[in-house]
Amino acid sequence: MKILLSCLSFREFTGSELYFYELSSAFQKAGHDVSLYSPFVDLPLKDKTSGITFPSRDDIDKESYDLLIFSHGSVTWNYIKNVNAKKIINVVHSEVLDLEQPIQSEKIDLYVGIRPSIVNYIVDKIGSSNKPVKLIYNPFDTSRFNPQRGKKKKSIKDKIVLFPGSLDYLRYQPLKYLLDLSEKQNFKVLHVGRNDYTTVHPNFTTQEPVWEVEQYYKQCDIVSGIFLGRTSIEGLLCGKKVLQFDVDKEGKIKKVYWHQEDDLTKFNKHTVAANFVNE
């Protein structure tokens, strides 16, 4: 199949960008002709790709595709709405970000939510539309994230909660919750990713975003994140306990709970890619 993927940005190691990296690599591995269009393509993420082409906006309007998969609402849709594709799928990554509102157009053949709560969000948003909505989870490279590669090093004696992801307004209250809890239960909080705040606390350490994030899963006992996003799933795949936060669109905590999944095969990127192709 000739497949076009499109997203707002393809340059950093953030959740939605890594989503399209993993999906594109799985499609390419399966033998498909894969292109990715984004108005912002750059290092370091672009350097990680292999066999993927990055056409210009003019190029995509001249081509025909079997499948077009896109995210990031009207911002991306305005770039690609005239692309000729046999099937168009709108993937929604968040139920609290305005950027992720589903596009309501007759051109859309299928809506996909990456977790159950987003499927419900899409259904509420599109109302009486007869277009199908499906749950297809985030794609992961399970050769990188698995219990063997995530086993904690014996040399690390501290109890550590790993809190990866962009530390923005959605994660700030969960971080405060963890730091307050760390004083009572004597553990360290290790953050990895972009940090929009200056947080000083004796139990807190922050690291810059890196590709080789697996090294930090080897240091922790527990993984914590918001919703069922990349952080929680990476933790589950690495055999960690996962303390998960649900927040509202202002970042206020709605729920704190231990998240568990019985079937982890649904997160394998090759399984995810096959779900799209077989639709």
Side-chain angles (χ1 to χ4, degrees), residues 159 176-187 201 203:
K159 185 176 182 181
K176 287 183 64 178
Y177 181 103
L178 288 172
L179 292 177
D180 288 345
L181 192 63
S182 76
E183 296 176 10
K184 303 170 185 175
Q185 298 189 7
N186 191 29
F187 62 83
H201 190 283
N203 292 336

Side-chain angles (χ1 to χ4, degrees), residues 86-251:
K86 293 178 182 177
K87 187 165 192 176
I88 300 179
I89 300 177
N90 182 189
V91 178
V92 179
H93 294 261
S94 175
E95 60 275 75
V96 296
L97 296 177
D98 291 338
L99 175 66
E100 290 284 357
Q101 292 193 37
I103 295 298
Q104 299 194 45
S105 167
E106 283 302 311
K107 293 183 177 181
I108 307 298
D109 296 291
L110 173 68
Y111 297 95
V112 167
I114 64 166
R115 53 180 170 261
S117 56
I118 296 179
V119 170
N120 295 335
Y121 166 76
I122 296 171
V123 170
D124 288 341
K125 282 291 182 181
I126 66 174
S128 59
S129 170
N130 60 356
K131 299 298 178 69
V133 181
K134 184 169 182 178
L135 172 63
I136 302 179
Y137 288 94
N138 256 319
F140 290 83
D141 184 349
T142 54
S143 69
R144 292 180 60 195
F145 300 100
N146 56 64
Q148 291 72 36
R149 297 199 67 180
K151 188 175 182 180
K152 187 178 180 181
K153 295 179 180 178
K154 293 181 180 180
S155 59
I156 299 175
K157 303 302 181 185
D158 287 334
K159 185 176 182 181
I160 296 176
V161 174
L162 180 63
F163 189 63
S166 299
L167 187 44
D168 54 16
Y169 70 98
L170 291 177
R171 290 180 175 84
Y172 185 66
Q173 291 300 326
L175 174 64
K176 287 183 64 178
Y177 181 103
L178 288 172
L179 292 177
D180 288 345
L181 192 63
S182 76
E183 296 176 10
K184 303 170 185 175
Q185 298 189 7
N186 191 29
F187 62 83
K188 307 292 184 183
V189 178
L190 172 58
H191 168 255
V192 181
R194 192 188 82 230
N195 191 347
D196 295 346
Y197 297 91
T198 300
T199 302
V200 179
H201 190 283
N203 292 336
F204 180 68
T205 305
T206 184
Q207 300 289 342
E208 291 293 319
V210 294
W211 178 257
E212 300 84 0
V213 70
E214 303 98 308
Q215 64 183 293
Y216 295 109
Y217 286 93
K218 294 179 181 179
Q219 299 178 27
C220 74
D221 303 275
I222 294 169
V223 173
S224 187
I226 60 172
F227 301 114
L228 184 59
R230 294 204 71 84
T231 293
S232 294
I233 299 169
E234 285 176 356
L236 292 169
L237 291 171
C238 287
K240 306 294 181 177
K241 292 182 67 176
V242 172
L243 183 64
Q244 193 162 292
F245 294 85
D246 288 352
V247 299
D248 64 18
K249 63 187 308 178
E250 281 79 40

Side-chain angles (χ1 to χ4, degrees), residues 5-73:
L5 307 177
S6 188
C7 55
L8 177 58
S9 177
F10 192 83
R11 50 189 174 181
E12 304 292 346
F13 303 143
T14 66
S16 62
E17 290 167 297
L18 289 172
Y19 175 96
F20 280 96
Y21 166 81
E22 296 292 5
L23 194 57
S24 66
S25 65
F27 282 140
Q28 194 272 337
K29 184 73 172 177
H32 300 290
D33 179 358
V34 185
S35 299
L36 190 147
Y37 172 75
S38 171
F40 304 104
V41 176
D42 207 343
L43 308 180
L45 187 55
K46 185 182 179 183
D47 258 5
K48 298 296 180 183
T49 63
S50 176
I52 311 298
T53 60
F54 295 91
S56 68
R57 186 178 182 185
D58 287 340
D59 290 336
I60 62 175
D61 284 342
K62 298 173 185 175
E63 295 288 339
S64 295
Y65 299 92
D66 297 302
L67 179 61
L68 165 58
I69 301 172
F70 78 97
S71 291
H72 303 135

